[in-house]
Amino acid sequence: MLSVALMLALAACDADVADLAPRGPIIVIAIDTLRADHLGLYGYERDTSPRLDALGAEGVVFDHAFATASWTLPSMTSLLTGTWPREHGAGYARSRGGRRRFSRLREEVPTLAQLLKETGYATGAVANVGFMSPRFGFGRGFDTYDWVSSTDEESRRAAESVDRALAWIDANDDDPFFFMLHLFDPHRHFDAPPPFRGKFTEVYRDRYGDTLATLASRVEAEQQSDLDFHIAAYDEEIAYTDDQVGRFIDGLRERGIWDEALVVLTADHGESLHDHGERGHGGTLYNELIRVPLMVWGAGSAGERERAPVSLVDFVPTALQWAGADEPSGLPGVSWLGPLAGTEPFSERLIAAEIEVNDADVQAVIRWPYKLIAGPDVGGLMLFDLQRDFAEVMDLVALGEPTAQQTATELQLLLRNARRGLRGEEVELDPAEVEELRALGYIQ
Ligand SMILES: [Zn+2]
């Protein structure tokens, strides 16, 4: 028989679950290629993000949010399915007959849009790059999937995307709705429109003269001075996007949606700006690529700063709980709503990322404060202590730190077991594995 105290606790728990499912609108703003540490609210010195800096005070800002991959296709598919790349299957490349092929989302993996649509949500999206084509599975479940293929030379600007997003919302705000706004502007080439063009690059006019306007989108030189210019041009795109996101949120406010919606802003990945000797993205899993901004409005306390590490695979369980919808079994993420409501702590969960480089897997796994990066192109295993070394310059394995190899091996085991389970196979642990996982606190 249940004790009275336990019954009361269960009743309170039910009430909490109901409170956490307001079935209001759900909006996710995904900004392509946006590094968290190039925003003022994450400590950046340039004034790239006045709108988001102010909006941060109205919501919850996560300091340690991680994407599941360092390029668009696998990462966005994870955001919209709540699964790891090897489970959803999108974003693996093969060359056949001289042509590059990329795998798409597996048919049997449902998208958030599908799941919400089943519960009566209207679903819409604006998306802006070839790797978000409906051919890769992104359109599945959306009533409207307003997509264009941006090229490096030409793309639909954030201003037009915001206009189209607000127009869709105007036509669909009778029902609870789910909307995804994907903006592509901070992706190369860097050529922000006026008045943002020149905001940070103008100081380089002496050096580049009249070529300045076009150079921002072209500079590829390896010299440090050119790198500074390249970064300034990237920052101008961020400032432009910040302004447009602010305009979108103004639009939500004017329509009375802002106060009733769950709104999540994040990025699919960051951008290497020579941090580990490279530029661009997709080739490694360092923090400049997988650590992303994450802001949540509508849940939690205004101005809250959350330091618990989380993964973008958590977004789907969060949205489903908000909608009062059933969660498919086996999703690796954990809803943020309970912790943000203060009813439970952020549980320790697997945070992982994976990409394929030269036909070989590169993987990262984080068990705070440690982060493992594993793959043939990194010479096996690298281990970093993110508490002390968030920039990942001290590989503890290479430095011969006494416990590094053991920690790295433990993290690799965690990742291997998680991935096996996620791929739908029955996993029977052998006794040694059970013992290791128990020692780590992952099984009782
Ligand atoms: Zn991207």
Side-chain angles (χ1 to χ4, degrees):
M1 201 176 113
L2 293 175
S3 73
V4 173
L6 182 56
M7 284 194 292
L8 286 174
L10 289 171
C13 200
D14 278 353
D16 286 341
V17 169
D19 288 346
L20 295 176
R23 272 190 76 77
I26 300 168
I27 297 167
V28 59
I29 304 166
I31 302 173
D32 217 289
T33 322
L34 177 61
R35 276 177 74 139
D37 63 0
H38 278 238
L39 298 173
L41 69 159
Y42 286 97
Y44 198 46
E45 65 275 12
R46 263 192 190 126
D47 187 23
T48 50
S49 55
R51 296 300 313 268
L52 288 178
D53 297 351
L55 286 162
E58 295 183 43
V60 181
V61 177
F62 286 80
D63 279 321
H64 301 132
F66 294 90
T68 67
S70 55
W71 64 289
T72 309
L73 175 50
S75 179
M76 285 301 298
T77 308
S78 285
L79 181 72
L80 293 178
T81 61
T83 58
W84 304 119
R86 273 293 176 190
E87 186 186 25
H88 63 59
Y92 295 91
R94 287 285 178 270
S95 294
R96 282 201 198 92
R99 300 190 66 171
R100 296 263 284 171
R101 293 160 184 260
F102 292 90
S103 58
R104 52 175 280 140
L105 170 62
R106 290 165 53 187
E107 285 301 326
E108 61 270 36
V109 178
T111 67
L112 176 62
Q114 277 178 294
L115 296 168
L116 290 175
K117 195 171 165 52
E118 282 169 14
T119 74
Y121 270 64
T123 54
V126 163
N128 281 301
V129 65
F131 277 127
M132 292 193 64
S133 162
R135 290 176 59 216
F136 289 113
F138 281 108
R140 206 200 300 156
F142 284 107
D143 300 325
T144 304
Y145 191 75
D146 176 353
W147 167 80
V148 295
S149 174
S150 298
T151 64
D152 283 345
E153 309 302 322
E154 192 171 76
S155 62
R156 182 165 63 182
R157 288 282 182 196
E160 186 183 345
S161 295
V162 166
D163 287 344
R164 297 177 75 92
L166 291 173
W168 185 90
I169 288 169
D170 282 337
N172 290 277
D173 73 347
D174 292 343
D175 296 316
F177 67 84
F178 166 53
F179 192 82
M180 177 186 71
L181 173 61
H182 168 258
L183 301 176
F184 191 64
D185 301 72
H187 195 283
R188 283 199 291 184
H189 290 300
F190 305 140
D191 56 351
F196 297 91
R197 179 174 297 190
K199 184 176 167 73
F200 305 125
T201 55
E202 185 62 29
V203 294
Y204 299 94
R205 181 166 287 283
D206 285 351
R207 187 181 309 145
Y208 297 112
D210 289 341
T211 61
L212 191 72
T214 51
L215 194 62
S217 66
R218 305 283 165 221
V219 65
E220 297 289 345
E222 291 299 321
Q223 294 174 7
Q224 181 62 35
S225 57
D226 289 335
L227 176 64
D228 294 341
F229 180 84
H230 183 85
I231 293 170
Y234 171 60
D235 289 341
E236 288 175 355
E237 290 279 20
I238 294 173
Y240 166 65
T241 306
D242 172 77
D243 191 56
Q244 291 299 323
V245 169
R247 193 168 71 80
F248 179 60
I249 289 174
D250 289 344
L252 298 179
R253 253 191 245 277
E254 287 160 13
R255 289 160 176 80
I257 293 167
W258 178 244
D259 289 331
E260 61 180 30
L262 176 72
V263 181
V264 173
L265 180 143
T266 190
D268 58 346
H269 52 78
E271 178 79 345
S272 286
L273 298 167
H274 227 73
D275 304 74
H276 288 88
E278 299 189 0
R279 296 190 199 180
H281 53 261
T284 73
L285 294 173
Y286 291 113
N287 285 340
E288 60 268 22
L289 291 181
I290 66 165
R291 187 270 187 120
V292 288
L294 178 63
M295 305 170 76
V296 176
W297 297 274
S301 308
E304 186 177 341
R305 198 85 193 193
E306 184 51 62
R307 295 185 63 77
V310 295
S311 166
L312 294 190
V313 295
D314 296 335
F315 170 63
V316 167
T318 301
L320 290 173
Q321 188 178 14
W322 177 271
D326 289 336
E327 185 181 316
S329 63
L331 288 186
V334 185
S335 169
W336 300 318
L337 296 187
L340 291 181
T343 59
E344 58 195 272
F346 278 96
S347 57
E348 191 171 335
R349 78 279 308 269
L350 183 73
I351 293 172
E354 44 195 358
I355 52 173
E356 202 178 51
V357 179
N358 301 325
D359 290 340
D361 283 335
V362 178
Q363 302 164 311
V365 56
I366 295 165
R367 187 189 61 188
W368 198 262
Y370 293 106
K371 174 177 171 183
L372 173 80
I373 302 179
D377 76 319
V378 297
L381 305 178
M382 293 192 295
L383 186 75
F384 302 98
D385 178 344
L386 300 186
Q387 196 91 49
R388 290 187 293 159
D389 176 31
F390 201 77
E392 297 160 304
V393 293
M394 293 184 296
D395 170 13
L396 300 178
V397 173
L399 289 171
E401 189 118 327
T403 59
Q405 190 67 46
Q406 189 195 334
T407 304
T409 305
E410 287 170 7
L411 290 177
Q412 211 175 18
L413 180 68
L414 274 180
L415 182 64
R416 206 181 76 210
N417 283 291
R419 288 180 66 219
R420 271 201 263 160
L422 287 169
R423 295 177 77 179
E425 301 163 18
E426 293 287 338
V427 178
E428 194 159 343
L429 301 181
D430 64 48
E433 288 174 326
V434 170
E435 208 36 62
E436 285 193 68
L437 288 173
R438 181 176 292 126
L440 296 170
Y442 279 87
I443 48 180
Q444 304 300 319

